[in-house]
Amino acid sequence: MPKSFLNDTSRCTACRGCQIACKEWKNHPAVKTKQTGTHQNPPDLGPYNFKLIRFKEYKMKTRVEWLFFPEQCRHCHAPGCKEGADAILPGAIIQDPATGAVLYTELTKKFTAQQAEDVRVMCPYNIPRRDPKTGMLTKCNMCIDRVQAGQVPACVKTCCTGCMNFGEREAMLKLGAERLAKVKKEYPKAQLLDADDVNTIFLVTEDRKLYHEFAERRETPQTQYAGLNRQELLSALGKPLRNLLG
Amino acid sequence: MTQHWIDIKNSNAILIMGSNAAEHHPISFKWVLRAKDQGAKVIHVDPKFSRTSARCDHHVPLRSGTDIAFLGGMLRYILEKNLFQKEYVTEYTNASFILGPDYEFKDGLFSGYDPEKRVYDRKKWGFVKDENGVSKRDKTLQDPRCVFQVMKKHYNRYTVDLVSQVTGVSKKNLLMVYEAFGATGKPDKAGTMMYALGWTQHTVGTQNIRLAAMIQLLLGNIGVAGGGINALRGEPNVQGSTDHAVLWDILPGYLPAPLATQPTLDDYNKAITPKTADPMSINWKVNQPKYAVSLFKGWFGEAGTKANGYGYDWTPKVEPGEEYASMFMFDRLYKKQIKGAFIYGHNPAQSMPNTHKIRKSLENLDWLVMGEVHLTETTDFWRGPGVDPKKIKTEVFLLPCSHRGEKAGTATNSGRWQMWHHKGYEPMGQSKSMGQIEVELFHAVRDLYKKDGGVFPEPVLNLDLDREYDPEKVAMKVNGWFTRDAEVNGRKFKKGDQVPSFAFLTDDGSTNCLCWIYSGSYPEAGKNLSKRRDHTQTPMQAKLGLYPNFSFSWPVNRRIIYNRASVDVNGKPFNPELPVVLWDGKGWVGDVVDGGGAPMAQQGGKYPFIMQTEGLAQLFGPGRVDGPLPEHYEPAETPLAKNPFGKQMSNPAIRWIASDMDKLAKNADPRFPIVLTTYSLTEHWLSGTDSRNTKVLLEAEPQLYVEMSHELAKEKGIKNGDVVEIESIRGKVQAVAMVTVRVVPFKVMGKTVHLVGMPFAFGWTTPGVGDSTNRLTPTVGDPNVSIPEFKASLVNVRKAAKITEIER
Amino acid sequence: MNISRRGFIKLLGAGTACYGLSRMGVDVAQAQTYAMSMKTAGAKEVVSICPYCSCGCNIIMFVKDGKFISSEGDPDYPVSEGSLCAKGAAFHALHVNEHRIVKPLYRAPGSDKWVEKDWTFMLSTIAKRMKDARDRDFKVKNDKGQVVNRLDTVMHLGSALMDNEECAVTVQMLRALGVYQIDHQARV
């Protein structure tokens, strides 16, 4: 039975404990940022930022809504990135059947920049980022080291309000349904995002479009070319494999 | 805090005002949200919509510096709608006391005001006494001179209309908050107030909190579970460092600092022993001489004898009425009256108001000793912006300090839990703990006195202070031990035995104790209660979320103070669902009860507020220097030309300083029409010394910003992300404009008042991030405690012509 | 028995730690590219307290061979239940930090730079400055002839960063020296 996250944004205070805990656990160095008129920093996910609180603010009819979105990899059941990577170099991206964690291995270093880009566009949530220094494709790995040792991921451990939860998928689905029923009373538009397809389930209180560009599933080659076999997909993508296989 | 963090979950209504709890005390929101899950109404009243507001039921924007108007309106509403808890108010507060003939309030001033000295004669505010010297009472609360009626009349002026016009809060919002919080006046409902620097950092700071406490008393919310008035304390150990009096005006345990008019211990003891003629008042402070003598005994050991007042004679005495708080200290330094300074873990060149003056003042030091972890704007003042090091004659000694994880000892959380932290590894490099440094420095001085002699050497030579700093041993002495064999309260003790609690401290030199409120934390050798990590609870405690066996809570492990007011006069809990304490016919069950003795209505019964001389809580407070009832005064710098509440514009007892560098904008100054409020943020800590130099935190919040409304930005032609210049009469600061819907213009007395907000965590020693926001703020302070008014001043804003302070 | 939450988590951990990816049908060669054990495995756990706000979150420091390697919230602290905010989560980075001052530094009058000095020099020179000031400016009586026993020309600021015990000895020693102009972050 895979594991799942439940990120209940109705409880998030954007304290960014998760964002920092992730960096700390992964020993990620700080990146240089600038103040540009928003609290969201760094501006986007990156090779040293697998977890990021996205901030959006709106003046609604009766009140201000400041929406916080603790962004991370969704650990899809049928990960588009893996499908893309398999077409290039099988084994570069793997999926742990025990946890459902989608894991990027050292083999992703063998991708060219363009191939890495091809894999990125396969992700409906725009999560993967290539580390320009090492060439490795990077993102959240569910803190697989911690999970194997019986602990929760660093971000979940740190969360102070119960926004982030982690456990057996069934338990998280149950918790999600309970929370949703409660949150809906205050926020009628509340919903669980793509709960059937992903292991990182977001509970949002407003229309998902309001959170950020990729809070919605985007069209990917995977969805465009659904049903194609590997060869067909590759030729559809039109990307050579010579460099890798040689 | 009167409560502890977990108790917030027991509230039915939570008013967060003067605090941005989710950002500055993030863990508090674990408990706020649990209360919300149970149906509690959570309201944030604050100038700016913050991460706190985002998780509250309501955010109510208010013009900074108008909290008394807002709360005064609430008090009026509670009385008008009869929402107060009658029995509580009549029996447990001074509502029924009769005011003497001299008390008067007119034209914004209380009787007894001396306009030249800007001080009140507080004797004018006394109560009428009976033939035994006990305050007269009218428990029907009908006497026109009783506190209840006088208070009612005072706040009758705080109408919703006027409050709305002054605060800029809509009438609808005012009534919504008043109704929601007023509903906790029912005996079985509790409301809590969470505040922090947003209430203290005003020229009326103390009165902000007093008015909040008055409302909580009227609603019967003090002492009960889920109630209280909760100061969310700041710095890692600001609770403990205040308890231990790293302050000029008090000695450890909140004993007053000795005055020049108190030459002997007897004089001092007399002054700190309040008297009451009422046999029902416990008047706990009558014990203060025992705590004072034990403190001096702890300082001077064997050398402290009856003949020298146990060492009292050797300690410094300050001038009555003179002020020595930091804003005054720096003024003395500016005027070259101070020559040497020790500064540990503190960055005044960044965090004090009017930092231009602070930075200039530092140049007047002959020598400066600093204990720090990082280079700061203070350690390096001699090479700051615009400073020529060649011209600075100050000799600077910078001592590397170890961090929390590199030392052992205790820190006290906001809920008064004294907790032990263990040493993880050896201090980095040659750094040492601040305690070790202080002790070594003292001994280096003492060695010189031993060798060469010197002026008034007795206290230096006779101090009972080990050469090695051993936190475990100091913790034992903080608790106190017997200095000789003695019998106290019928129990026999041997020399060297630990004192079981402060109830066993004596005024004859047979005990020592470095801070009486912590006595009981180390009651036996080997029994350091601050190290306890036991979760054992009774079912009653489990329901409350009370952990009596985890660490130690001062005083005497009491977790909710004033808990004696959570029961009726027969000892029955007002809220039977969540009792804090209850009288079971023989004794008290639950939390450690305040004081002792039986419930009030029984034989030998006692009043609940044991630290008050009269035993009752003070709705009318004659002890504050700026008035017995809080009154709305405008901040020292205000966008208004007149105070709509009365003729007196600002706090009549305001603390301010006359110097060529201390300027104030005039009322409604057209050059500076915008209100500035300053604050911190989750990712940084105060002046930013620690957080700016932790690069993962700087990554998340990299540079100084100023939050402003879209309306103001449009008026000024400023776009989100532009570098702008903020100017006050004292200086200019550059910051990145954050144009946001979270800040709104206020409608105040018919005109539009804009407000901007800025953090103060960014300084020049971190290149390109901006420099001290406090170059803008004024050196004016609250007259009771001299906390500066960081929260409301006047500025103007424009797009920066040339970017000089912010890296782009 | 009072089983701590931390203990409970460790019990769980012991049972599952041996399950590597190989047991789960994944190509071991690939899976080995992943850390098979936590970086904190085998480290000594020491409880400290977050040095920022007064929530007082207890923090577990993981120390290996005398080196501080990682930290996280202590689930046994009833207030935080193991959680931390951004600042608390950076506890390790705060400590193990290249920006820290690790040697005594001295700046001579008129100089434009810091110079490294040893502790002996610092302590003895500061003691001399302090004694000179005290001997020069100590006031036994004020203008009214009242005994005051104080030193008006030296001030002491800070610190709320100090532990209770550090505060206790600091106040004791300052008042003995006659220094009474004492203040700290309680006012800012």
Side-chain angles (χ1 to χ4, degrees):
Chain A
M1 187 68 186
K3 309 270 188 192
S4 289
F5 293 87
L6 175 72
N7 296 351
D8 175 357
T9 65
S10 77
R11 297 185 88 80
C12 180
T13 57
C15 77
R16 295 197 267 207
C18 55
Q19 186 176 318
I20 303 295
C22 173
K23 290 194 73 111
E24 286 288 283
W25 183 254
K26 306 278 184 207
N27 295 329
H28 282 158
V31 297
K32 189 151 168 78
T33 55
K34 273 194 313 195
Q35 175 54 259
T36 58
T38 169
H39 287 288
Q40 184 175 313
N41 241 328
D44 198 7
L45 296 172
Y48 304 125
N49 296 88
F50 297 171
K51 181 92 193 174
L52 175 74
I53 302 285
R54 295 187 186 274
F55 294 71
K56 281 278 187 192
E57 60 182 48
Y58 298 94
K59 191 155 197 155
M60 304 295 213
K61 257 189 200 147
T62 55
R63 62 171 282 163
V64 170
E65 280 295 342
W66 201 2
L67 304 177
F68 310 133
F69 194 84
E71 174 81 293
Q72 64 174 98
C73 171
R74 307 299 195 279
H75 296 282
C76 301
H77 295 172
C81 60
K82 179 173 185 299
E83 198 166 322
D86 283 351
I88 303 164
L89 177 59
I93 295 179
I94 58 178
Q95 193 171 16
D96 174 17
T99 59
V102 178
L103 306 170
Y104 292 3
T105 72
E106 294 274 321
L107 287 179
T108 60
K109 286 180 182 169
K110 295 194 175 173
F111 292 166
T112 63
Q114 183 55 50
Q115 286 167 332
E117 181 60 14
D118 293 340
V119 172
R120 188 183 67 79
V121 298
M122 292 291 282
C123 171
Y125 304 101
N126 187 26
I127 299 294
R129 296 289 182 275
R130 185 169 186 265
D131 183 346
K133 278 198 192 126
T134 63
M136 184 142 165
L137 207 55
T138 63
K139 67 157 191 72
C140 158
N141 68 354
M142 206 188 263
C143 283
I144 190 74
D145 49 349
R146 295 177 62 97
V147 173
Q148 281 177 22
Q151 307 219 357
V152 297
C155 53
V156 179
K157 170 74 194 295
T158 306
C159 180
C160 55
T161 58
C163 162
M164 294 205 62
N165 304 273
F166 183 82
E168 296 299 326
R169 178 168 171 79
E170 205 171 323
M172 289 301 108
L173 285 172
K174 187 162 168 280
L175 181 64
E178 284 167 11
R179 291 267 181 95
L180 182 64
K182 203 157 177 177
V183 172
K184 255 187 178 303
K185 287 178 197 154
E186 196 183 347
Y187 298 97
K189 288 182 185 162
Q191 60 171 314
L192 296 170
L193 300 185
D194 313 325
D196 293 343
D197 303 323
V198 297
N199 279 326
T200 303
I201 305 160
F202 281 88
L203 192 168
V204 294
T205 54
E206 300 290 341
D207 187 337
R208 64 193 292 175
K209 281 191 197 125
L210 297 180
Y211 286 80
H212 73 103
E213 190 187 350
F214 297 101
E216 285 204 283
R217 285 172 81 90
R218 69 170 167 190
E219 285 278 300
T220 65
Q222 187 191 20
T223 43
Q224 279 170 24
Y225 304 112
L228 301 186
N229 65 30
R230 184 173 166 228
Q231 280 307 319
E232 290 164 338
L233 177 65
L234 278 177
S235 62
L237 287 168
K239 303 293 179 256
L241 288 173
R242 278 191 303 277
N243 298 346
L244 274 174
L245 302 177
Chain B
M1 284 170 100
T2 57
Q3 325 291 110
H4 56 93
W5 291 110
I6 298 168
D7 185 64
I8 295 168
K9 82 177 173 68
N10 297 321
S11 299
N12 301 104
I14 300 175
L15 178 63
I16 305 171
M17 188 166 168
S19 153
N20 179 359
E23 295 199 33
H24 302 156
H25 300 87
I27 304 302
S28 70
F29 254 65
K30 177 188 283 287
W31 305 105
V32 171
L33 291 184
R34 289 209 193 160
K36 201 165 172 241
D37 290 343
Q38 305 297 316
K41 194 66 119 186
V42 186
I43 297 165
H44 190 214
V45 180
D46 198 90
K48 165 193 76 163
F49 187 106
S50 64
R51 289 178 250 187
T52 297
S53 324
R55 289 283 77 84
C56 290
D57 292 301
H58 302 282
H59 169 248
V60 175
L62 144 134
R63 172 169 67 100
S64 188
T66 62
D67 303 72
I68 288 178
F70 185 98
L71 294 172
M74 188 187 298
L75 194 148
R76 182 184 192 270
Y77 182 91
I78 288 165
L79 297 184
E80 190 191 353
K81 304 278 177 192
N82 217 17
L83 299 173
F84 61 99
Q85 197 177 323
K86 192 90 190 281
E87 181 187 351
Y88 191 105
V89 171
T90 314
E91 298 295 338
Y92 295 167
T93 76
N94 66 6
S96 60
F97 286 31
I98 314 291
L99 282 165
D102 292 341
Y103 172 78
E104 193 187 18
F105 177 76
K106 209 176 140 191
D107 293 340
L109 288 170
F110 298 91
S111 44
Y113 185 60
D114 176 345
E116 251 171 52
K117 292 186 182 150
R118 294 202 313 274
V119 295
Y120 278 110
D121 173 9
R122 286 178 272 172
K123 290 194 199 80
K124 302 278 185 199
W125 311 333
F127 300 115
V128 177
K129 308 269 182 184
D130 68 12
E131 59 284 5
N132 297 319
V134 178
S135 291
K136 272 195 181 169
R137 297 172 74 176
D138 170 22
K139 288 205 189 176
T140 68
L141 307 181
Q142 296 305 310
D143 187 308
R145 292 292 285 177
C146 81
V147 164
F148 187 81
Q149 292 298 334
V150 168
M151 178 177 73
K152 194 170 176 180
K153 190 178 157 206
H154 188 92
Y155 291 105
N156 206 34
R157 302 175 297 128
Y158 288 65
T159 60
V160 172
D161 277 336
L162 185 58
V163 170
S164 172
Q165 287 203 51
V166 171
T167 58
V169 178
S170 71
K171 285 194 254 183
K172 189 177 149 221
N173 269 344
L174 286 174
L175 290 170
M176 179 273 294
V177 180
Y178 294 171
E179 191 189 342
F181 205 76
T184 65
K186 296 196 182 75
D188 61 345
K189 297 281 183 234
T192 189
M193 293 191 183
M194 296 164 67
Y195 78 91
L197 307 183
W199 268 354
T200 61
Q201 292 178 341
H202 292 280
T203 43
V204 292
T206 305
Q207 299 285 8
N208 281 337
I209 295 146
R210 244 193 72 69
L211 185 47
M214 285 162 65
I215 288 172
Q216 288 296 62
L217 288 168
L218 285 172
L219 297 171
N221 280 339
I222 298 285
V224 302
I229 171 111
N230 291 305
L232 314 187
R233 301 301 308 263
E235 277 269 357
N237 192 30
V238 85
Q239 181 65 54
S241 54
T242 310
D243 299 337
H244 284 273
V246 187
L247 294 163
W248 74 270
D249 54 334
I250 52 171
L251 299 181
Y254 302 92
L255 300 169
L259 301 174
T261 49
Q262 299 157 350
T264 69
L265 179 65
D266 282 349
D267 299 320
Y268 176 73
N269 279 346
K270 214 171 135 194
I272 63 170
T273 309
K275 286 195 176 61
T276 174
D278 194 330
M280 288 182 73
S281 176
I282 289 177
N283 184 24
W284 195 273
K285 286 188 179 171
V286 79
N287 295 304
Q288 289 195 138
K290 298 172 192 169
Y291 311 148
V293 169
S294 299
L295 172 68
F296 300 132
K297 193 69 189 159
W299 284 355
F300 296 105
E302 291 296 315
T305 62
K306 196 165 174 18
N308 56 29
Y310 305 100
Y312 173 85
D313 293 359
W314 293 329
T315 63
K317 319 287 185 295
V318 297
E319 300 299 323
E322 204 47 56
E323 269 282 348
Y324 304 94
S326 5
M327 60 185 259
F328 296 96
M329 257 187 235
F330 272 99
D331 190 54
R332 286 195 178 87
L333 180 54
Y334 183 65
K335 291 170 180 153
K336 303 190 179 174
Q337 293 162 4
I338 289 177
K339 302 287 178 203
F342 295 91
I343 304 180
Y344 288 85
H346 193 347
N347 190 5
Q350 180 75 13
S351 60
M352 289 280 294
N354 195 6
T355 38
H356 277 310
K357 182 182 171 190
I358 302 293
R359 291 173 181 187
K360 194 83 196 152
S361 303
L362 289 166
E363 297 178 5
N364 290 337
L365 283 169
D366 289 344
W367 50 267
L368 168 64
V369 177
M370 289 209 57
E372 258 305 346
V373 178
H374 297 285
L375 297 180
T376 71
E377 289 69 28
T378 306
T379 63
D380 286 36
F381 79 91
W382 45 270
R383 58 174 195 95
V387 179
D388 178 2
K390 282 194 219 66
K391 292 187 180 147
I392 311 298
K393 61 174 177 50
T394 313
E395 190 178 24
V396 190
F397 303 86
L398 179 53
L399 308 175
C401 293
S402 50
H403 241 312
R404 180 62 66 78
E406 296 160 358
K407 64 185 181 188
T410 67
T412 305
N413 78 6
S414 209
R416 296 165 288 102
W417 296 13
Q418 182 205 15
M419 302 183 289
W420 191 269
H421 60 87
H422 300 262
K423 179 175 164 178
Y425 61 102
E426 287 307 312
M428 193 174 268
Q430 295 179 32
S431 66
K432 296 181 184 186
S433 76
M434 288 182 187
Q436 180 66 28
I437 293 171
E438 294 273 30
V439 167
E440 286 185 17
L441 270 177
F442 174 78
H443 280 280
V445 176
R446 166 137 94 189
D447 289 346
L448 291 179
Y449 273 91
K450 272 189 192 157
K451 191 161 107 311
D452 305 329
V455 175
F456 200 65
E458 290 84 358
V460 181
L461 296 176
N462 286 314
L463 201 69
D464 185 27
L465 184 64
D466 291 345
R467 229 167 228 284
E468 276 300 311
Y469 170 70
D470 175 358
E472 191 81 41
K473 191 172 169 196
V474 179
M476 291 178 82
K477 200 174 180 186
V478 164
N479 174 87
W481 63 67
F482 283 87
T483 60
R484 57 174 189 251
D485 293 357
E487 185 176 325
V488 187
N489 302 340
R491 270 176 72 180
K492 286 196 171 125
F493 297 92
K494 287 250 172 281
K495 179 180 176 177
D497 283 353
Q498 288 293 101
V499 172
S501 82
F502 53 69
F504 293 84
L505 294 175
T506 66
D507 58 4
D508 63 1
S510 60
T511 57
N512 69 20
C513 172
L514 292 181
C515 191
W516 72 273
I517 54 177
Y518 284 81
S519 192
S521 61
Y522 212 131
E524 288 169 36
K527 204 171 166 189
N528 182 347
L529 301 188
S530 71
K531 290 181 179 170
R532 289 189 300 181
R533 302 178 62 75
D534 184 350
H535 289 187
T536 310
Q537 297 166 303
T538 64
M540 180 175 165
Q541 291 161 344
K543 205 167 169 191
L544 285 171
L546 196 142
Y547 290 85
N549 300 301
F550 192 94
S551 74
F552 171 82
S553 178
W554 73 256
V556 288
N557 208 33
R558 183 172 301 130
R559 303 285 160 151
I560 295 179
I561 53 181
Y562 310 120
N563 56 29
R564 224 188 152 96
S566 70
V567 295
D568 66 14
V569 293
N570 290 307
K572 257 178 59 190
F574 285 124
N575 181 0
E577 284 299 303
L578 277 173
V580 180
V581 293
L582 61 88
W583 179 258
D584 69 358
K586 287 180 247 126
W588 295 96
V589 182
D591 194 8
V592 179
V593 76
D594 249 327
M600 230 172 89
Q602 299 190 13
Q603 182 72 27
K606 298 292 178 196
Y607 294 141
F609 287 90
I610 65 168
M611 297 307 283
Q612 300 295 335
T613 309
E614 309 264 15
L616 300 172
Q618 297 187 340
L619 287 174
F620 186 91
R624 301 281 73 81
V625 302
D626 49 352
L629 292 172
E631 169 69 1
H632 171 76
Y633 299 114
E634 285 291 314
E637 287 191 337
T638 166
L640 301 190
K642 272 169 48 183
N643 178 359
F645 278 91
K647 285 186 186 161
Q648 180 64 32
M649 194 70 192
S650 52
N651 189 331
I654 195 170
R655 292 274 191 263
W656 65 282
I657 283 167
S659 87
D660 60 332
M661 287 190 84
D662 285 293
K663 295 177 207 152
L664 283 178
K666 57 186 188 202
N667 298 333
D669 197 322
R671 295 170 299 166
F672 306 106
I674 301 165
V675 176
L676 166 72
T677 191
T678 67
Y679 39 68
S680 196
L681 60 157
T682 314
E683 294 76 6
H684 286 293
W685 188 245
L686 303 182
S687 79
T689 302
D690 278 336
S691 51
R692 256 188 279 147
N693 292 311
T694 300
K695 296 303 176 199
V696 287
L697 294 174
L698 192 67
E699 167 190 306
E701 286 287 358
Q703 290 173 318
L704 182 60
Y705 56 86
V706 52
E707 292 179 289
M708 66 177 76
S709 69
H710 285 275
E711 292 84 347
L712 177 63
K714 200 173 158 202
E715 232 174 71
K716 300 282 183 185
I718 293 165
K719 286 199 294 294
N720 192 36
D722 281 352
V723 175
V724 297
E725 191 163 83
I726 304 94
E727 182 179 11
S728 80
I729 198 165
R730 291 159 294 274
K732 292 177 189 172
V733 172
Q734 291 197 341
V736 179
M738 194 181 284
V739 180
T740 171
V741 297
R742 295 176 293 100
V743 177
V744 292
F746 294 93
K747 205 76 172 164
V748 180
M749 301 311 291
K751 74 170 186 177
T752 298
V753 173
H754 288 293
L755 176 141
V756 297
M758 298 172 75
F760 62 99
F762 300 96
W764 66 266
T765 59
T766 310
V769 304
D771 196 9
S772 178
T773 297
N774 281 315
R775 288 174 292 171
L776 301 170
T777 52
T779 316
V780 288
D782 169 282
N784 292 287
V785 292
S786 295
I787 289 181
E789 189 158 63
F790 292 100
K791 293 297 181 193
S793 61
L794 292 180
V795 295
N796 209 339
V797 180
R798 66 183 69 84
K799 207 170 155 174
K802 192 178 165 209
I803 300 170
T804 53
E805 296 186 354
I806 305 279
E807 190 181 313
R808 287 286 90 175
Chain C
M1 193 177 96
N2 178 34
I3 296 185
S4 74
R5 276 183 285 258
R6 179 145 61 97
F8 184 63
I9 286 170
K10 270 194 289 195
L11 287 176
L12 273 181
T16 52
C18 56
Y19 287 88
L21 286 176
S22 60
R23 297 273 303 267
M24 296 166 182
V26 172
D27 183 335
V28 175
Q30 294 164 4
Q32 270 174 351
T33 58
Y34 270 88
M36 298 302 283
S37 70
M38 298 206 298
K39 65 181 179 183
T40 49
K44 190 173 82 175
E45 297 182 10
V46 184
V47 174
S48 189
I49 300 175
C50 178
Y52 288 107
C53 84
S54 59
C55 290
C57 296
N58 290 200
I59 289 181
I60 301 171
M61 306 171 67
F62 295 93
V63 182
K64 231 182 208 173
D65 306 323
K67 270 201 175 136
F68 180 22
I69 54 162
S70 185
S71 62
E72 55 188 81
D74 178 359
D76 283 347
Y77 181 47
V79 174
S80 67
E81 299 178 317
S83 61
L84 291 171
C85 73
K87 289 191 295 291
F91 185 84
H92 173 261
L94 170 73
H95 282 73
V96 182
N97 182 323
E98 60 191 25
H99 193 267
R100 278 184 58 177
I101 310 162
V102 290
K103 286 177 181 164
L105 298 174
Y106 175 77
R107 185 260 175 189
S111 165
D112 61 356
K113 59 176 187 296
W114 290 110
V115 180
E116 288 179 9
K117 293 275 182 184
D118 62 32
W119 273 102
T120 312
F121 167 85
M122 298 296 262
L123 289 172
S124 60
T125 316
I126 296 166
K128 191 165 175 336
R129 300 287 180 272
M130 179 62 201
K131 182 168 186 295
D132 288 350
R134 191 174 182 277
D135 285 351
R136 185 186 65 216
D137 299 329
F138 193 84
K139 198 184 264 180
V140 175
K141 286 186 177 174
N142 65 8
D143 299 343
K144 292 177 193 152
Q146 295 162 323
V147 175
V148 292
N149 289 335
R150 68 181 193 221
L151 177 57
D152 290 337
T153 58
V154 173
M155 66 183 209
H156 187 288
L157 286 179
S159 171
L161 269 166
M162 288 180 175
D163 293 339
N164 289 313
E165 296 72 24
E166 295 178 310
C167 293
V169 297
T170 297
V171 169
Q172 180 187 7
M173 133 205 157
L174 288 174
R175 297 250 171 203
L177 289 165
V179 176
Y180 63 95
Q181 297 187 83
I182 308 167
D183 208 350
H184 77 287
Q185 288 92 332
R187 284 197 175 85
V188 294

